Amino acid sequence: KDTMEGEFLALYYEPRTINIILIEDLIKPSQFAGYANLGGISLRNMPYIVILATANKETWIHELGHYFGLEHTFETPLGLVNNSDCASKGDKICDTPADPLGSYDASTCIYTGNLKDANGEFYNPLLENYMSYYVGCTKSFTNQQYKKMIATYKIDPEAHF
């Protein structure tokens, strides 16, 4: 936390609430439009979300995904295309395909990467997943991602609203 963020939380943090700090400029990490505590809803140490006031709805949804326990689809170490190692690799969600964060055509939302996994199979990530970085293509979560968010919410009964 930077000084201003800490001061803001000291003054305005509300327990049992999704605390969202809207800002005009994000200095660190500068290439992002927001960030959130992973699994924030289940944490007791002031969970919150920081987001640019100009962020699009996909960014809001993405950061809420983190808040409710979801990781990026492209987390390392990368999993295999056949998802046989999905419980321990990538985002650890078995109905999201392994994602190398490769190239794609933003106008058609078609993956154009040619990366292969350790078995020599081509990756074919789900570009529409909110937890990916395929800007302009995201529009959904998978069923197991929904279940993970619900499970994260239920971890701490004190966190319930």
Side-chain angles (χ1 to χ4, degrees), residues 66-140:
H66 286 313
Y67 191 81
F68 284 95
L70 298 181
E71 297 182 48
H72 294 119
T73 56
F74 53 85
E75 294 292 333
T76 56
L78 285 177
L80 297 171
V81 170
N82 67 15
N83 260 358
S84 62
D85 57 356
C86 62
S88 62
K89 302 269 177 88
D91 66 355
K92 300 171 196 72
I93 303 282
C94 290
D95 68 349
T96 58
D99 182 356
L101 192 59
S103 56
Y104 71 107
D105 182 330
S107 66
T108 62
C109 293
I110 294 175
Y111 182 72
T112 58
N114 60 359
L115 300 172
K116 294 181 182 180
D117 70 4
N119 292 336
E121 293 183 59
F122 285 102
Y123 286 101
N124 187 25
L126 186 62
L127 274 62
E128 67 184 40
N129 195 287
Y130 281 122
M131 299 314 293
S132 72
Y133 273 7
Y134 299 107
V135 178
C137 299
T138 60
K139 61 182 178 182
S140 66

Side-chain angles (χ1 to χ4, degrees), residues 19-76:
N19 288 267
I20 299 174
I21 304 171
L22 288 176
I23 57 174
E24 290 182 19
D25 190 26
L26 187 60
I27 297 169
K28 189 177 184 183
S30 62
Q31 69 271 29
F32 301 113
Y35 58 92
N37 301 90
L38 182 62
I41 190 75
S42 65
L43 303 176
R44 292 189 177 252
N45 62 344
M46 293 184 143
Y48 58 94
I49 296 170
V50 174
I51 197 161
L52 286 174
T54 58
N56 61 30
K57 70 177 181 178
E58 289 80 8
T59 301
W60 282 80
I61 295 167
H62 177 96
E63 297 309 330
L64 283 163
H66 286 313
Y67 191 81
F68 284 95
L70 298 181
E71 297 182 48
H72 294 119
T73 56
F74 53 85
E75 294 292 333
T76 56

